[in-house]
Amino acid sequence: MKVLLIHAKTFEYEARQKAVDTAEELSDSNKSGRAENVLVAFVTVEKGDSSDPEIVGKATGEIESVYKRVGASGVVVYPYAHLSENLAEASEALPLLKSIEEQLKVRGVRVQRAPFGWYKRFTLECYGHPLSELSRTIRPGEKPKH
Ligand SMILES: Nc1ncnc2c1ncn2[C@@H]1O[C@H](CO)[C@@H](NC(=O)[C@@H](N)CO)[C@H]1O
């Protein structure tokens, strides 16, 4: 699993067009979103990630750790198919993305999750401080390095 973490002063997205047949149904709560002082987690799920029962806990831990360090007010979990060539299928990817969202909520984090399977317009203003652009690779069977 690859995660790009951007601490954004403002972030806004809007689903525009279905990209895959397995696209998630849109609702008023997910077809668009906006947040300020938010950690945007662009997440690419890779083939085999679901083989590790700890993958969601590890990914959530990495995201929560940066969220706390930068003092963000919330997290956006943004499905993103562009950080790896080893893409998981929707049947593997979507459940993991939903579980990361739920795990963050359980940990008291205000979370939005952008819809899976859509081309989306987005605007992002990155703070530009030293921790405002980070990336993490979470490998099945391996302990996180950070
Ligand atoms: N393995 C995977 N991990 C995370 N997201 C994945 C995925 N496979 C498919 N998606 C989702 O389907 C859209 C089209 O590939 C993806 N859309 C996007 O990545 C938008 N930024 C438009 O390109 C994404 O929502």
Side-chain angles (χ1 to χ4, degrees), residues 19-20 43-46 78-82 87-90 93 97 115-120:
V20 291
V43 181
T44 300
V45 181
E46 297 180 287
Y78 194 93
Y80 201 66
H82 310 287
L87 281 184
E89 295 296 323
L97 290 158
F116 184 97
W118 290 82
Y119 295 115
K120 294 178 281 299

Side-chain angles (χ1 to χ4, degrees), residues 102-122:
E102 285 317 307
Q103 266 294 313
L104 284 166
K105 285 180 179 172
V106 163
R107 297 180 188 209
V109 180
R110 189 184 321 153
V111 193
Q112 295 179 64
R113 182 173 59 80
F116 184 97
W118 290 82
Y119 295 115
K120 294 178 281 299
R121 172 185 65 73
F122 72 81

Side-chain angles (χ1 to χ4, degrees), residues 22-25 30 45 56 77 79 88-101 113-117:
T22 52
E24 234 181 321
E25 286 305 307
N30 73 356
V45 181
V56 170
V77 176
E89 295 296 323
S91 56
E92 181 174 17
L94 185 51
L96 293 183
L97 290 158
K98 287 180 174 178
S99 298
I100 291 170
E101 174 191 16
R113 182 173 59 80
F116 184 97

Side-chain angles (χ1 to χ4, degrees), residues 43-58:
V43 181
T44 300
V45 181
E46 297 180 287
K47 273 194 178 54
D49 280 344
S50 59
S51 67
D52 180 350
E54 302 299 317
I55 198 85
V56 170
K58 291 188 296 190

